[in-house]
Amino acid sequence: MKNYQAYLIDLDGTLYKGDEHIDGASQFISYLNQHKIPHLYVTNNSTKDPEEVATKLNKMGLVARADEVVTSALATAEYIAEESPGASVYMLGGSGLKHALTDKGLVVKEDEFVDYVVIGLDEAVTYEKLSTATLGVRNGAKFISTNQDVSIPKERGFLPGNGAITSVVTVSTGVQPIFIGKPEPIIMRKALEILGLERSEVAMVGDLYDTDIMSGINVNIDTIHVQTGVTTKEELELKPVPPTYTFKDLNDVIKELQS
């Protein structure tokens, strides 16, 4: 396997599942840190601030900094702020999304009379929240979703993801949102911009083909699939464009890098 100058790394299903550490994750990050290889954690999870993500990783023995975290919330806020500075937003989601939006000078409101409706993963979603989002889109607000993941890996199993919540508003209004997170190029371009390297020097590491691997394919960088999350090795064989590499876990990636 090629030794890359930098890596973009998924979190859920690649480094951990919920609060469970995945074997090989801390060893891989330690290898990158010891060899001073730049890396960014690129996650579709919009519920947490980068500081919270870094804290979780550190508690699991994965030495990480907040400035190494690129969330779909950050990419969403930047996208809206560049397109319409100071715009008003109705959002579903956690504190990570709200902080990202307000930090970019956007105005978060609690009614349907807004410029944008943004859907992020909301573990306290209610019918009233979905109703307000639906009315906002029907009133002409631009419809944005942080990501299209229909399920997320947790300790209990695969639970409804942001894409599942987004689909309620989509079905009700007939309006398709603009998706920001993986596999869309928007979040990946942001991460590549931060690294400042040629695309041939960067690889995307992840478990889920439809988001992680396709996100790399969509911006023409190599991809490293690990069989620790959603997509199995057998399922990869049915995909029209395979990942550049696939490994059982990150321990095997380290062995390959050291060989």
Side-chain angles (χ1 to χ4, degrees), residues 7-11 39-46 48-51 53-54 57 65-76 78 146 180-182 185-195 204:
Y7 294 87
L8 303 178
I9 307 168
D10 173 56
L11 296 178
H39 52 283
L40 296 175
Y41 304 99
V42 183
T43 175
N44 276 354
N45 189 335
S46 64
K48 306 294 185 185
D49 292 320
E51 292 79 8
V53 174
L57 290 171
R65 304 190 312 268
D67 63 359
E68 293 174 326
V69 179
V70 180
T71 69
S72 61
L74 291 176
T76 297
E78 188 163 300
T146 58
I180 301 295
K182 301 175 293 183
I186 296 171
I187 192 172
M188 296 295 286
R189 290 185 190 130
K190 173 63 178 174
L192 289 167
E193 178 187 318
I194 293 170
L195 289 174
M204 176 68 203

Side-chain angles (χ1 to χ4, degrees), residues 100-122:
L101 294 170
T102 55
D103 285 349
K104 285 295 182 179
L106 302 169
V107 181
V108 176
K109 297 179 64 180
E110 297 298 324
D111 60 59
E112 64 266 29
F113 304 104
V114 290
D115 302 312
Y116 290 82
V117 167
V118 176
I119 308 292
L121 182 63
D122 190 334

